[in-house]
Amino acid sequence: MEERKERDAYLVTGNVKHFPEKPFVVTPRQMIDIILESIN
């Protein structure tokens, strides 16, 4: 997650319960939504 300091970076996982609740930890569906929002 060092890249997060310089640009947007996300940790995409299907097991969010195994990670602390942080805005950069997302599910695959959330990542698709983030990508689609950036296109529009």
Side-chain angles (χ1 to χ4, degrees):
M1 295 309 305
E2 279 296 311
E3 290 294 318
R4 184 134 182 88
K5 294 178 183 177
E6 296 179 21
R7 57 184 162 173
D8 288 337
Y10 295 92
L11 173 61
V12 181
T13 180
N15 296 315
V16 291
K17 66 181 180 179
H18 292 124
F19 296 92
E21 193 170 321
K22 301 283 184 180
F24 59 84
V25 179
V26 297
T27 64
R29 179 69 232 175
Q30 290 171 316
M31 189 70 235
I32 291 170
D33 292 340
I34 290 167
I35 292 169
L36 291 176
E37 285 178 16
S38 71
I39 293 172
N40 293 330

Coordinates of all heavy atoms in Angstrom, one line a residue:
M1 N 0.8 -1.2 0.0 CA 0.0 0.0 0.0 C 0.9 1.3 0.0 O 0.4 2.3 0.2 CB -1.0 0.0 1.2 CG -2.0 -1.1 1.2 SD -3.0 -1.4 -0.3 CE -3.7 0.2 -0.6
E2 N 2.2 1.1 -0.2 CA 3.0 2.3 -0.3 C 2.6 3.2 -1.5 O 2.7 4.4 -1.4 CB 4.5 1.8 -0.6 CG 5.2 1.4 0.7 CD 5.4 2.6 1.7 OE1 5.8 3.7 1.3 OE2 5.0 2.3 2.8
E3 N 2.1 2.6 -2.6 CA 1.6 3.4 -3.7 C 0.5 4.4 -3.3 O 0.3 5.4 -3.9 CB 1.1 2.5 -4.8 CG 2.2 1.7 -5.5 CD 3.1 2.6 -6.3 OE1 2.7 3.5 -7.0 OE2 4.3 2.3 -6.2
R4 N -0.2 4.0 -2.3 CA -1.4 4.9 -1.9 C -0.9 6.3 -1.5 O -1.6 7.2 -1.6 CB -2.0 4.2 -0.7 CG -3.2 5.0 -0.2 CD -4.4 4.0 0.0 NE -5.5 4.8 0.4 CZ -6.4 5.3 -0.4 NH1 -6.3 5.1 -1.7 NH2 -7.4 6.0 0.0
K5 N 0.4 6.4 -1.1 CA 0.9 7.7 -0.8 C 1.1 8.6 -2.0 O 1.0 9.8 -1.9 CB 2.2 7.6 0.0 CG 2.1 6.9 1.3 CD 3.4 6.7 1.9 CE 3.3 6.0 3.3 NZ 4.6 5.7 3.9
E6 N 1.3 8.0 -3.1 CA 1.5 8.8 -4.3 C 0.3 8.9 -5.3 O 0.2 9.8 -6.1 CB 2.7 8.3 -5.1 CG 4.0 8.4 -4.3 CD 5.2 7.8 -5.0 OE1 5.1 7.7 -6.2 OE2 6.2 7.5 -4.3
R7 N -0.6 7.9 -5.3 CA -1.7 7.9 -6.1 C -2.8 7.0 -5.6 O -2.6 6.3 -4.6 CB -1.3 7.4 -7.5 CG -0.7 6.1 -7.6 CD -0.2 5.7 -9.0 NE 0.7 4.6 -8.9 CZ 1.2 4.0 -9.9 NH1 0.8 4.3 -11.1 NH2 2.1 3.0 -9.7
D8 N -4.0 7.0 -6.1 CA -5.1 6.2 -5.6 C -4.7 4.7 -5.8 O -4.3 4.3 -6.9 CB -6.4 6.5 -6.4 CG -7.0 7.8 -6.0 OD1 -6.7 8.3 -5.0 OD2 -7.7 8.4 -6.8
A9 N -4.8 4.0 -4.7 CA -4.6 2.6 -4.8 C -5.6 1.9 -3.9 O -6.0 2.5 -2.8 CB -3.2 2.3 -4.3
Y10 N -6.0 0.7 -4.2 CA -7.1 0.0 -3.5 C -6.6 -1.4 -3.3 O -5.9 -2.0 -4.1 CB -8.4 0.0 -4.3 CG -9.0 1.4 -4.5 CD1 -8.7 2.1 -5.6 CD2 -9.8 1.9 -3.5 CE1 -9.2 3.4 -5.7 CE2 -10.3 3.2 -3.6 CZ -10.0 3.9 -4.8 OH -10.6 5.2 -4.9
L11 N -7.1 -2.0 -2.2 CA -6.9 -3.4 -1.9 C -8.3 -4.0 -2.2 O -9.2 -3.7 -1.5 CB -6.5 -3.6 -0.4 CG -6.5 -5.0 0.1 CD1 -5.4 -5.8 -0.7 CD2 -6.2 -5.1 1.6
V12 N -8.3 -4.8 -3.2 CA -9.6 -5.5 -3.6 C -9.6 -6.9 -3.1 O -8.7 -7.7 -3.4 CB -9.7 -5.5 -5.2 CG1 -11.0 -6.1 -5.6 CG2 -9.6 -4.1 -5.8
T13 N -10.6 -7.2 -2.3 CA -10.7 -8.5 -1.7 C -12.2 -8.9 -1.6 O -13.0 -8.1 -1.4 CB -10.0 -8.5 -0.3 OG1 -10.2 -9.8 0.3 CG2 -10.6 -7.5 0.6
G14 N -12.4 -10.2 -1.6 CA -13.7 -10.7 -1.4 C -14.0 -11.0 0.1 O -15.0 -11.3 0.5
N15 N -12.9 -10.8 0.9 CA -13.0 -11.1 2.4 C -12.7 -9.8 3.2 O -11.7 -9.7 3.9 CB -12.0 -12.2 2.8 CG -12.3 -13.5 2.1 OD1 -13.5 -13.9 2.1 ND2 -11.3 -14.2 1.6
V16 N -13.6 -8.8 3.0 CA -13.3 -7.5 3.7 C -13.3 -7.7 5.3 O -12.7 -6.9 6.0 CB -14.3 -6.4 3.3 CG1 -14.1 -6.0 1.9 CG2 -15.8 -6.9 3.5
K17 N -14.0 -8.7 5.8 CA -14.0 -8.9 7.2 C -12.6 -9.3 7.8 O -12.4 -9.2 9.0 CB -15.0 -10.0 7.6 CG -14.7 -11.4 7.1 CD -15.8 -12.4 7.5 CE -15.4 -13.8 7.0 NZ -16.4 -14.7 7.4
H18 N -11.7 -9.7 6.9 CA -10.3 -10.0 7.4 C -9.4 -8.8 7.4 O -8.2 -8.9 7.7 CB -9.7 -11.1 6.5 CG -10.4 -12.4 6.7 ND1 -11.0 -13.1 5.6 CD2 -10.7 -13.2 7.8 CE1 -11.5 -14.2 6.1 NE2 -11.4 -14.3 7.4
F19 N -9.9 -7.6 7.0 CA -9.1 -6.4 6.9 C -9.7 -5.3 7.8 O -11.0 -5.3 7.9 CB -8.9 -6.0 5.5 CG -8.2 -7.0 4.6 CD1 -8.9 -8.0 3.9 CD2 -6.8 -7.0 4.6 CE1 -8.2 -8.9 3.2 CE2 -6.1 -7.9 3.8 CZ -6.8 -8.9 3.1
P20 N -8.9 -4.4 8.2 CA -9.5 -3.3 9.0 C -10.5 -2.5 8.1 O -10.2 -2.4 6.9 CB -8.3 -2.5 9.5 CG -7.2 -2.9 8.6 CD -7.5 -4.3 8.1
E21 N -11.5 -1.8 8.7 CA -12.4 -1.0 7.9 C -11.7 0.3 7.5 O -11.5 1.2 8.3 CB -13.6 -0.7 8.7 CG -14.8 -0.2 7.8 CD -16.1 -0.1 8.6 OE1 -16.4 -1.0 9.3 OE2 -16.8 0.9 8.4
K22 N -11.3 0.3 6.2 CA -10.6 1.5 5.7 C -11.2 1.8 4.3 O -11.6 0.9 3.6 CB -9.1 1.2 5.5 CG -8.3 0.8 6.7 CD -8.0 2.0 7.6 CE -7.2 1.6 8.8 NZ -6.9 2.7 9.6
P23 N -11.1 3.0 3.9 CA -11.8 3.4 2.6 C -11.1 2.7 1.4 O -11.7 2.6 0.4 CB -11.7 4.9 2.5 CG -10.9 5.4 3.7 CD -10.7 4.2 4.6
F24 N -9.8 2.3 1.5 CA -9.1 1.8 0.4 C -9.3 0.2 0.3 O -8.8 -0.4 -0.7 CB -7.6 2.1 0.4 CG -6.9 1.7 1.6 CD1 -6.4 0.4 1.7 CD2 -6.7 2.6 2.7 CE1 -5.7 0.0 2.8 CE2 -6.0 2.2 3.8 CZ -5.5 0.9 3.9
V25 N -9.9 -0.4 1.3 CA -10.2 -1.8 1.2 C -11.6 -2.0 0.6 O -12.6 -1.6 1.2 CB -10.1 -2.5 2.6 CG1 -10.5 -4.0 2.5 CG2 -8.8 -2.3 3.2
V26 N -11.7 -2.5 -0.6 CA -13.0 -2.6 -1.3 C -13.2 -4.0 -1.8 O -12.3 -4.8 -2.0 CB -13.1 -1.6 -2.4 CG1 -13.0 -0.2 -1.9 CG2 -12.0 -1.9 -3.5
T27 N -14.5 -4.3 -2.1 CA -14.9 -5.6 -2.7 C -14.7 -5.4 -4.2 O -14.6 -4.3 -4.7 CB -16.4 -5.9 -2.4 OG1 -17.2 -4.9 -3.0 CG2 -16.6 -6.0 -0.9
P28 N -14.7 -6.5 -4.9 CA -14.6 -6.4 -6.4 C -15.8 -5.5 -7.0 O -15.5 -4.7 -7.9 CB -14.8 -7.9 -6.9 CG -14.2 -8.7 -5.7 CD -14.6 -7.9 -4.5
R29 N -17.0 -5.7 -6.5 CA -18.1 -4.9 -6.9 C -17.9 -3.4 -6.7 O -18.2 -2.5 -7.6 CB -19.4 -5.3 -6.3 CG -20.6 -4.5 -6.7 CD -21.0 -4.8 -8.1 NE -21.1 -3.6 -8.8 CZ -21.3 -3.5 -10.1 NH1 -21.4 -4.6 -10.9 NH2 -21.4 -2.3 -10.7
Q30 N -17.4 -3.0 -5.5 CA -17.1 -1.6 -5.2 C -16.0 -1.1 -6.2 O -16.1 0.1 -6.6 CB -16.6 -1.5 -3.8 CG -17.7 -1.7 -2.8 CD -17.2 -1.8 -1.3 OE1 -16.2 -2.4 -1.1 NE2 -17.9 -1.1 -0.4
M31 N -15.0 -1.9 -6.5 CA -14.0 -1.5 -7.4 C -14.5 -1.2 -8.8 O -14.1 -0.2 -9.4 CB -12.9 -2.6 -7.5 CG -11.6 -2.1 -8.2 SD -10.7 -0.9 -7.3 CE -10.6 0.4 -8.5
I32 N -15.4 -2.1 -9.3 CA -16.1 -1.8 -10.6 C -16.8 -0.5 -10.5 O -16.7 0.3 -11.5 CB -17.0 -3.0 -10.9 CG1 -16.2 -4.2 -11.2 CG2 -17.9 -2.6 -12.1 CD1 -17.0 -5.5 -11.4
D33 N -17.5 -0.2 -9.4 CA -18.2 1.1 -9.3 C -17.3 2.2 -9.3 O -17.6 3.3 -9.9 CB -19.1 1.1 -8.0 CG -20.2 0.1 -8.1 OD1 -20.7 -0.3 -9.2 OD2 -20.8 -0.2 -7.0
I34 N -16.2 2.1 -8.6 CA -15.2 3.2 -8.6 C -14.6 3.5 -10.0 O -14.5 4.6 -10.5 CB -14.0 2.8 -7.7 CG1 -14.5 2.9 -6.2 CG2 -12.8 3.8 -7.9 CD1 -13.5 2.2 -5.2
I35 N -14.4 2.4 -10.8 CA -13.8 2.5 -12.1 C -14.9 3.2 -13.0 O -14.6 4.1 -13.8 CB -13.4 1.2 -12.7 CG1 -12.2 0.7 -11.9 CG2 -13.1 1.3 -14.2 CD1 -11.9 -0.8 -12.2
L36 N -16.1 2.7 -12.9 CA -17.2 3.3 -13.8 C -17.4 4.8 -13.4 O -17.7 5.6 -14.3 CB -18.5 2.5 -13.6 CG -18.4 1.1 -14.2 CD1 -19.8 0.4 -13.9 CD2 -18.2 1.1 -15.7
E37 N -17.4 5.2 -12.2 CA -17.5 6.6 -11.8 C -16.4 7.4 -12.4 O -16.6 8.6 -12.7 CB -17.5 6.7 -10.3 CG -18.8 6.3 -9.7 CD -18.8 6.4 -8.1 OE1 -17.9 7.1 -7.6 OE2 -19.7 5.8 -7.5
S38 N -15.2 6.9 -12.4 CA -14.1 7.7 -12.9 C -14.1 7.9 -14.4 O -13.6 8.8 -15.0 CB -12.7 7.0 -12.6 OG -12.5 5.8 -13.3
I39 N -14.8 7.0 -15.1 CA -15.0 7.1 -16.6 C -16.0 8.2 -16.9 O -15.8 8.9 -17.9 CB -15.4 5.8 -17.2 CG1 -14.3 4.7 -17.1 CG2 -15.8 5.9 -18.6 CD1 -14.7 3.3 -17.4
N40 N -17.0 8.3 -16.1 CA -18.1 9.3 -16.4 C -17.7 10.7 -16.0 O -17.3 11.3 -15.3 CB -19.4 8.9 -15.7 CG -20.0 7.6 -16.3 OD1 -19.8 7.4 -17.4 ND2 -20.6 6.9 -15.5

